Amino acid sequence: WFQSFKQKDKEKNHFDFGDFFHLDSIAIEHEGFNVITMDEFLDRMGKSGKLNDIRTGKPAIYSGSKTFDYLRKVGTNPQWDPMKCIAAFPSSVGSAAIHELEEIHHNIMSGKDGRPHPRYEDFEGKPTPVDAPIEERMREMLAERDDICIYDETLQNAKVIHFPAQKETRLLTHFYAFVFFADWKADLWSKRFVRDHLRYIDEIMCAAARVVQAVRRRSKTGSYDSLHVRRGDFQYKKTRLDANKLLEKSRDKLEEGGVLYIATDEHDKNFFQPFREHYDVVFLDDYKELLTGINDNYYGMLDQLIASKGRVFFGTWWSTLSGYVNRMRGYYIAKHKLEGYEDGTMESYYFFPDERKEQMKKYYPVKKPIYMREFPTSWLDIDKGIEEMHQQQ
């Protein structure tokens, strides 16, 4: 999806995370939270001989090449599969807090309290309170996994921690799905941090806001519905339904005659003619005059943001773009206490498969393979405790 449309010679087409997310601002917004590039880190620590080979204990100088081999040499390299093992952070440093996590995990897995191993079904429609005891919160996280990988004293004392980019250790999944904090306040802080600070750069956010405003003005009611129809090179071919079938599956939820914003990588907009017969259909292309100077490579993110503001949203199952639209919708609902904020639900649906259509209308815990959708644990009640914190300051 994030492949650009037609490239313009003058446009930048090589990007890193800093081009999409305002990483530099994070250090400004958080005293003591500094972000540096890999090049800066290697210049300061590697080329100066301040890092040691973890096997020999002798200084290891970075030569300027074979970067990942060097990081493996000077760093502690946890072998961690997030699909099997939850990264568990103790409530404090030291062996006592580590033992606490180990004991709780053992009690859950052994059924010490008489309860069986937690099952996914146990938590459907029954979210665990965000401030529940450690054992209860861990049970939900272990509903489809068995192990915890603790941030132990070895990792706490390591100068460098490096996760090798190997098949078994690729972290291609949602951050909240594999991290567990013994301290519930630390858990919610991490989720708020991502929501409030790890966001798209202002250029993208402001351009999307201009289009959202224009689409709302076009509507007689001031609102619009939205779809994300992934076609292009998407590997899940069974989601490539024809337009009549897409209309059939979504028509019962969309406002007849209303404005319908369609985020799509389908270049032939005539494909959506069946929708035009029932709705006032618009695309990002219809608002090019509001996107002057915006790099085409940002269009995927713009589509996400605009689609996230729909009254009703239909997405493509297995698409991470559709998933992130729902996470942004969840953030907004939770922060402003809109309908669904108490149980993590929203007016979002999926075209296909049929049994997934109303996945976002009920609370579901994290389920493997995880990437196929976003889960309400990332936004549900994550502002809990903030008022008390403000009162204490």
Side-chain angles (χ1 to χ4, degrees):
W1 175 266
F2 289 109
Q3 292 177 345
S4 68
F5 291 79
K6 292 183 178 178
Q7 289 289 333
K8 301 174 184 176
D9 292 338
K10 64 180 180 180
E11 285 191 339
K12 177 178 179 178
N13 54 26
H14 295 284
F15 299 88
D16 59 30
F17 282 118
D19 291 303
F20 301 117
F21 299 96
H22 74 145
L23 301 182
D24 291 339
S25 299
I26 292 176
I28 299 173
E29 296 167 353
H30 291 80
E31 184 178 353
F33 195 106
N34 299 316
V35 179
I36 63 173
T37 66
M38 177 63 75
D39 288 338
E40 289 176 302
F41 172 74
L42 292 171
D43 284 342
R44 292 184 196 178
M45 305 297 292
K47 293 181 180 179
S48 62
K50 294 179 180 178
L51 299 177
N52 295 333
D53 186 318
I54 60 172
R55 296 163 188 80
T56 66
K58 297 180 180 179
I61 308 297
Y62 176 59
S63 66
S65 62
K66 297 184 178 180
T67 300
F68 296 117
D69 288 341
Y70 176 76
L71 292 173
R72 292 186 182 95
K73 181 186 294 186
V74 300
T76 299
N77 300 269
Q79 297 301 309
W80 170 42
D81 183 346
M83 295 299 166
K84 298 178 181 178
C85 193
I86 299 164
F89 289 81
S91 57
S92 64
V93 297
S95 59
I98 293 171
H99 177 69
E100 177 187 39
L101 280 176
E102 292 173 334
E103 184 175 21
I104 290 173
H105 176 251
H106 172 75
N107 291 344
I108 291 173
M109 301 310 296
S110 65
K112 185 176 181 179
D113 64 356
R115 289 184 288 178
H117 185 285
R119 302 175 306 153
Y120 177 79
E121 295 79 9
D122 296 339
F123 304 96
E124 289 185 12
K126 303 173 185 176
T128 302
V130 296
D131 60 347
I134 299 175
E135 181 172 354
E136 300 308 312
R137 291 185 291 113
M138 186 184 289
R139 285 184 66 84
E140 181 171 331
M141 284 290 283
L142 289 171
E144 283 216 327
R145 287 166 284 189
D146 293 330
D147 299 322
I148 60 173
C149 295
I150 298 178
Y151 183 61
D152 58 18
E153 289 181 291
T154 298
L155 295 175
Q156 292 172 22
N157 295 324
K159 202 167 190 177
V160 177
I161 298 177
H162 172 63
F163 293 96
Q166 300 169 348
K167 184 178 180 181
E168 296 80 12
T169 55
R170 291 188 67 196
L171 308 183
L172 188 61
T173 189
H174 316 316
F175 76 98
Y176 57 83
F178 57 73
V179 176
F180 178 82
F181 291 90
D183 183 344
W184 67 269
K185 293 181 180 179
D187 175 57
L188 300 191
W189 180 89
S190 72
K191 293 171 180 175
R192 289 196 301 268
F193 177 84
V194 172
R195 178 193 66 188
D196 297 336
H197 302 285
L198 195 59
R199 59 172 177 77
Y200 293 137
I201 59 173
D202 291 346
E203 183 180 3
I204 297 174
M205 299 293 288
C206 292
R210 293 195 294 271
V211 178
V212 168
Q213 184 181 50
V215 178
R216 285 174 172 168
R217 285 176 175 171
R218 185 183 181 107
S219 168
K220 295 177 181 179
T221 63
S223 65
Y224 61 92
D225 294 336
S226 57
L227 316 177
H228 170 226
V229 179
R230 176 68 193 270
R231 292 177 63 77
D233 61 349
F234 199 39
Q235 64 266 43
Y236 299 102
K237 303 302 182 186
K238 51 191 173 182
T239 65
R240 291 170 62 93
L241 306 177
D242 65 48
N244 283 304
K245 184 62 70 174
L246 292 171
L247 176 62
E248 176 188 321
K249 290 179 175 293
S250 58
R251 191 174 175 184
D252 62 324
K253 303 296 181 182
L254 303 178
E255 182 181 11
E256 184 74 20
V259 174
L260 179 63
Y261 181 87
I262 301 180
T264 184
D265 55 351
E266 173 58 64
H267 293 291
D268 181 9
K269 299 306 188 291
N270 290 325
F271 171 83
F272 295 100
Q273 185 56 37
F275 282 93
R276 294 186 188 276
E277 296 172 7
H278 297 274
Y279 313 104
D280 181 12
V281 175
V282 293
F283 304 93
L284 187 62
D285 292 346
D286 296 320
Y287 297 94
K288 285 290 187 69
E289 75 278 3
L290 300 178
L291 305 178
T292 303
I294 300 295
N295 192 302
D296 288 357
N297 288 280
Y298 292 160
Y299 282 10
M301 284 140 278
L302 291 173
D303 259 344
Q304 274 187 326
L305 290 162
I306 299 162
S308 76
K309 295 301 183 182
R311 180 189 67 92
V312 169
F313 171 70
F314 268 82
T316 300
W317 188 256
W318 292 297
S319 166
T320 52
L321 189 147
S322 284
Y324 193 53
V325 167
N326 281 327
R327 197 206 299 181
M328 288 190 287
R329 288 168 68 79
Y331 285 155
Y332 190 80
I333 288 169
K335 195 161 191 175
H336 298 280
K337 290 183 166 49
L338 304 179
E339 183 179 357
Y341 84 94
E342 293 180 307
D343 59 4
T345 59
M346 62 185 67
E347 283 296 312
S348 288
Y349 305 89
Y350 286 99
F351 294 111
F352 179 88
D354 290 340
E355 65 271 18
R356 304 297 186 192
K357 180 175 180 177
E358 299 199 355
Q359 278 279 301
M360 306 307 296
K361 296 294 293 177
K362 182 179 181 181
Y363 179 90
Y364 288 97
V366 173
K367 181 176 178 60
K368 294 187 291 187
I370 300 176
Y371 70 87
M372 59 192 174
R373 56 158 291 181
E374 295 271 358
F375 298 89
T377 186
S378 65
W379 63 79
L380 179 60
D381 207 15
I382 63 175
D383 289 310
K384 188 177 185 63
I386 286 183
E387 292 183 3
E388 290 85 345
M389 292 169 58
H390 288 169
Q391 292 171 358
Q392 294 171 2
Q393 291 177 351

